[in-house]
Amino acid sequence: MPKFYSSVLAVVLCLIVCAEKSDAADIRYYSSMDFSGLELLDKAVILKGAVSAENGAIAADMDQLRKNLSGSALVDSFRLDSNGQRLSVIVKEKKIRAALAVVNGSRVIPALLTFDNRLVSGSETVSMPVIVVNMDRFVNGKPARSLLRAAGLVRWISDKEPVFYSQILSVELTDSDRLVVKLNGRRTLFRTDFSRQGLMMVKKAAAFFDTKEYYPDKMNIIGDRAVIR
């Protein structure tokens, strides 16, 4: 083989070998993993495609872990610390004011509202009730005062009644400034006042229905009165 072609072949082989090395996954093995800083982010999002069990050990694809964490809308910053046989995943989450379902015509767009009133992608599952609003609850891309008020009510109930808060699936802010509340495990749609008292009335009504093991399709609460349908 001519010297020129031999040199070209050597360069090509070198490039192939270097590419294979650069593409090789950074797999490390641990006996345990721990997480800190997680409040809203699901561990499954972090671990997806990155961790498996091999011969009694935890095989962690470090590049995939970094990709999962850096790709999460909930993550502000993160650090992966190796301490012997233990891998620590340390996360600083973004401060989320509310999880939203924004209705725009026939589309429903999931989004997350941060405390600095920015919207970020909401495709991830978070452990908080979803506030359902129409697109007109935003003015020039910023949340309207009514939406911020709804988010404040949901946060208030999380502090005041954490058990009840954990049962709320969604709170819809209607065009008439009423709330429609859906609870986990109950079929009833609770339509109530846009106020703290309105949410507390839903709590009391749900507790009453629980004792009776009966749930109507709809309940309309106005002040301290209610109509069952």
Side-chain angles (χ1 to χ4, degrees):
M1 180 181 294
K3 185 176 180 180
F4 171 76
Y5 290 107
S6 297
S7 300
V8 172
L9 180 59
V11 171
V12 171
L13 289 173
C14 180
L15 290 174
I16 293 173
V17 171
C18 291
E20 289 178 346
K21 287 183 178 180
S22 64
D23 290 340
D26 180 10
I27 306 295
R28 303 183 193 181
Y29 297 89
Y30 300 94
S31 60
S32 62
M33 288 183 67
D34 60 56
F35 301 82
S36 62
L38 299 184
E39 294 183 13
L40 299 174
L41 182 60
D42 192 332
K43 290 180 185 177
V45 173
I46 300 174
L47 300 177
K48 185 177 181 181
V51 172
S52 61
E54 291 186 17
N55 299 321
I58 299 172
D61 184 333
M62 305 301 286
D63 292 331
Q64 187 62 47
L65 279 174
R66 294 185 185 96
K67 182 178 179 181
N68 291 349
L69 286 161
S70 61
S72 170
L74 293 174
V75 175
D76 186 53
S77 62
F78 67 89
R79 192 171 77 248
L80 301 177
D81 283 351
S82 295
N83 183 9
Q85 293 298 306
R86 178 185 295 274
L87 174 62
S88 296
V89 180
I90 303 163
V91 177
K92 179 183 177 183
E93 292 184 346
K94 292 178 181 175
K95 298 297 184 182
I96 302 300
R97 184 191 293 267
L100 306 178
V102 183
V103 180
N104 184 16
S106 60
R107 297 178 60 203
V108 178
I109 307 168
L112 300 173
L113 181 65
T114 64
F115 270 95
D116 56 0
N117 294 336
R118 294 183 182 180
L119 286 177
V120 295
S121 170
S123 58
E124 300 171 52
T125 301
V126 294
S127 54
M128 61 195 315
V130 175
I131 299 176
V132 182
V133 293
N134 285 324
M135 184 64 80
D136 60 9
R137 295 291 179 174
F138 294 88
V139 180
N140 297 324
K142 296 292 185 181
R145 183 174 298 180
S146 57
L147 173 51
L148 296 180
R149 181 182 163 203
L153 280 177
V154 172
R155 180 160 291 274
W156 174 81
I157 206 70
S158 73
D159 294 333
K160 179 73 174 178
E161 298 286 347
V163 175
F164 175 57
Y165 170 82
S166 68
Q167 299 170 359
I168 301 175
L169 293 178
S170 65
V171 177
E172 179 182 356
L173 180 54
T174 70
D175 291 339
S176 57
D177 278 351
R178 299 267 290 159
L179 301 180
V180 179
V181 181
K182 293 182 181 179
L183 302 179
N184 187 33
R186 290 94 159 179
R187 69 176 185 177
T188 308
L189 292 180
F190 297 91
R191 188 180 181 92
T192 192
D193 298 328
F194 188 7
S195 65
R196 293 181 176 183
Q197 181 185 357
L199 286 179
M200 292 303 292
M201 287 294 291
V202 172
K203 173 182 177 292
K204 293 176 182 178
F208 173 77
F209 292 141
D210 288 345
T211 62
K212 302 298 182 181
E213 296 185 353
Y214 165 75
Y215 302 97
D217 291 332
K218 297 179 182 179
M219 184 176 194
N220 192 26
I221 300 170
I222 302 174
D224 57 358
R225 297 176 298 163
V227 177
I228 297 174
R229 296 179 183 177

